[in-house]
Amino acid sequence: MKRTVKDLVGLKGKVILLRADFNVPIDDGGKILDTTRIERTLPTIKYLIEQKAKVVILSHLGRPKGFEIRKSLFPVAMVLMSKLPCNVDFCNAVVGDEVKNRIKYLKEGNVLLLENTRFYKGEEKCDMDFARQMAELGDIFVNDAFGTAHRKNASTFALARSLPNAIGLLMQNEIDNLSYVIKEPKRPFVAILGGAKVDTKIKIINKFLEIADTIIIGGAMAYTFLLAKGEMVGMSLVQDDCLEIAREILEKAEEAGKKILLPIDHVGVSTSDRKKAVTKVKVLKGDLMGYDIGEETIKLFKKEIDSASQIFWNGPMGMFEDPKFANGTKKIAEAVAHSQAYSIVGGGDTISAVNASGFASQMDFISTGGGASMEFLENGTLPCIEVIQEQIR
Ligand code: ADP
Ligand code: MG
């Protein structure tokens, strides 16, 4: 068991460097489109301010190339201000004299949010010097950034090595819920996979072959599997270099007696149709491109979801950003929400789709991680969790 923030004593007056995952979607006008990740970090922040610590928060946002005003964390400070009972200040740097000065005058029980850690080259290089400069700012490091815990960055990994440390309450919550999926799955356990990042997600299917009873595959990922089975997919998105792995997975599933369900009908458009009329088909022939699962597929998937005792879902069933292709994802969200199963949902786009569907509150656990939750399921831990001290009992 890793040491958590609740195991720390004597926090009053201490400067806590809290690494959060405030990597939220922001539009061009600086408006935050989804505050889930901010909200989910509030319990840790509130705990620290109740303990009268001085809370200095670090996070990355997006993939900036150097300093980019559009990737500033300032809009996040505004959200924090509206949700916390204390003062929230913002400093447009992560290290240096200005930051040190601001921390010197930071009062107990108040919060100072620093600028995007990725504005500094050292962050993604996991640079020890950058980590040391951050370490100079505080007394204790607390990592609550589950969504980025699979990447060894300076503010998530190297910083943990430079200070006494602990994980936050969100991180603990994620570990508890995801461990439960791997260690004691309630059966039947149905895994629902979709989305577009086939190459990074295909490996995890092997893990689900071990731990799940049924694997449902939708979204763009399904076409790689359909083609691997020798079915027609038209012009749909296929990851060619994953066809061989897909074939192996289908074989392995058959040997192990596990079900892999693939779409049996589709919603798509013809690439040559300039009006982009939506068509519903059983087989994607010629220049048809599949963008969503069809009604028969929804029925097939729903039947499996209805009889599940545990569900893990990552990846939308279609190109849900376009309302014409959002139906499959929405219907699957509804089915998961209404099933008796213990449901865990993860993935950046999956979460926004589930939020948009209005069924988010009926899921049992929504993981703030995409790649991080998948990697956690695969390995049972993550590099930035491993680096934290064990609990002393
Ligand atoms: P997550 O962020 O939840 O892990 P991914 O990033 O893997 O999910 O995939 C989400 C993306 O997949 C969405 O942008 C969605 O539009 C896209 N997608 C899903 N199905 C299709 C499809 N049939 N064709 C093209 N894109 C798709
Ligand atoms: Mg995504």
Side-chain angles (χ1 to χ4, degrees):
M1 290 279 276
K2 292 297 171 184
R3 183 152 80 174
T4 82
V5 70
K6 294 225 165 153
D7 299 317
L8 302 170
V9 288
L11 290 175
K12 187 175 184 306
K14 291 267 164 62
V15 177
I16 308 297
L17 299 182
L18 172 65
R19 179 52 160 96
D21 180 2
F22 291 155
N23 185 26
V24 289
I26 298 188
D27 72 10
D28 289 345
K31 186 177 181 295
I32 296 177
L33 303 172
D34 188 282
T35 56
T36 308
R37 282 180 162 170
I38 302 175
E39 287 213 42
R40 296 283 293 276
T41 315
L42 292 178
T44 304
I45 305 174
K46 283 182 177 160
Y47 179 77
L48 289 169
I49 59 184
E50 275 160 23
Q51 301 298 309
K52 296 270 180 286
K54 300 176 182 178
V55 188
V56 178
I57 308 181
L58 302 145
S59 176
H60 78 284
L61 173 67
R63 298 177 184 278
K65 293 177 190 74
F67 187 94
E68 256 181 63
I69 191 71
R70 279 180 174 196
K71 300 281 162 65
S72 170
L73 278 170
F74 183 70
V76 174
M78 304 297 281
V79 176
L80 287 176
M81 253 175 239
S82 71
K83 298 196 185 273
L84 288 170
C86 61
N87 277 335
V88 178
D89 265 333
F90 179 74
C91 181
N92 62 0
V94 176
V95 291
D97 290 340
E98 163 73 3
V99 185
K100 279 185 192 160
N101 214 30
R102 297 285 288 277
I103 293 173
K104 202 163 111 192
Y105 292 103
L106 182 64
K107 293 203 177 77
E108 292 179 359
N110 283 342
V111 169
L112 175 68
L113 176 65
L114 303 183
E115 189 50 287
N116 192 345
T117 51
R118 285 201 185 159
F119 285 176
Y120 296 76
K121 277 203 295 288
E123 171 69 341
E124 288 188 272
K125 287 188 184 146
C126 199
D127 181 57
M128 259 333 271
D129 271 339
F130 182 45
R132 257 190 297 261
Q133 289 175 54
M134 287 186 278
E136 275 176 25
L137 304 171
D139 303 303
I140 299 168
F141 173 67
V142 173
N143 191 353
D144 215 14
F146 178 77
T148 186
H150 55 316
R151 298 199 189 96
K152 287 185 184 175
N153 287 350
S155 71
T156 60
F157 187 83
L159 185 52
R161 290 188 149 173
S162 319
L163 282 176
N165 55 48
I167 55 172
L169 303 176
L170 168 60
M171 187 78 97
Q172 182 63 56
N173 197 231
E174 294 272 8
I175 295 172
D176 289 347
N177 272 280
L178 295 173
S179 302
Y180 181 76
V181 173
I182 333 177
K183 289 188 192 131
E184 301 161 55
K186 288 199 247 160
R187 307 207 171 271
F189 174 14
V190 176
I192 309 169
L193 302 171
K197 286 187 227 143
V198 184
D199 49 343
T200 56
K201 288 178 179 179
I202 203 157
K203 281 182 295 167
I204 188 82
I205 300 182
N206 279 307
K207 183 73 191 178
F208 283 118
L209 275 180
E210 281 168 38
I211 60 175
D213 301 293
T214 303
I215 302 172
I216 289 173
I217 303 177
M221 185 185 280
Y223 305 119
T224 299
F225 280 87
L226 286 171
L227 190 61
K229 269 181 84 173
E231 289 187 29
M232 279 191 273
V233 297
M235 298 290 283
S236 308
L237 215 64
V238 166
Q239 183 93 31
D240 288 318
D241 54 354
C242 291
L243 283 170
E244 195 49 46
I245 314 176
R247 238 171 256 132
E248 280 166 27
I249 288 171
L250 291 166
E251 264 169 37
K252 248 194 245 172
E254 201 165 316
E255 280 163 25
K258 306 246 169 151
K259 263 193 277 185
I260 293 189
L261 296 186
L262 294 168
I264 50 171
D265 63 345
H266 315 267
V267 178
V269 293
S270 152
T271 48
S272 58
D273 176 11
R274 277 198 290 145
K275 290 197 187 115
K276 299 265 177 285
V278 175
T279 33
K280 297 179 180 183
V281 289
K282 287 221 177 297
V283 181
L284 291 161
K285 276 186 235 161
D287 64 356
L288 274 180
M289 229 175 145
Y291 283 129
D292 196 9
I293 54 175
E295 289 296 338
E296 291 304 313
T297 306
I298 293 170
K299 263 189 229 158
L300 174 78
F301 289 0
K302 187 174 177 304
K303 205 167 147 236
E304 212 63 35
I305 291 166
D306 285 346
S307 59
S309 294
Q310 183 174 304
I311 294 167
F312 177 84
W313 179 17
N314 173 290
M317 294 291 104
M319 210 172 66
F320 72 96
E321 294 93 338
D322 183 335
K324 293 197 289 292
F325 309 113
N327 183 55
T329 305
K330 195 169 174 184
K331 290 281 165 60
I332 294 305
E334 184 179 11
V336 174
H338 290 165
S339 91
Q340 296 300 305
Y342 184 82
S343 53
I344 297 185
V345 181
D349 293 294
T350 313
I351 295 173
S352 33
V354 168
N355 280 338
S357 75
F359 294 107
S361 65
Q362 292 173 63
M363 305 297 173
D364 290 293
F365 184 71
I366 295 187
S367 174
T368 52
S373 25
M374 301 294 258
E375 230 179 281
F376 187 93
L377 292 181
E378 204 178 345
N379 302 324
T381 185
L382 295 171
C384 299
I385 297 173
E386 276 309 280
V387 71
I388 300 292
Q389 282 162 264
E390 293 294 317
Q391 221 169 57
I392 307 160
R393 291 221 163 250

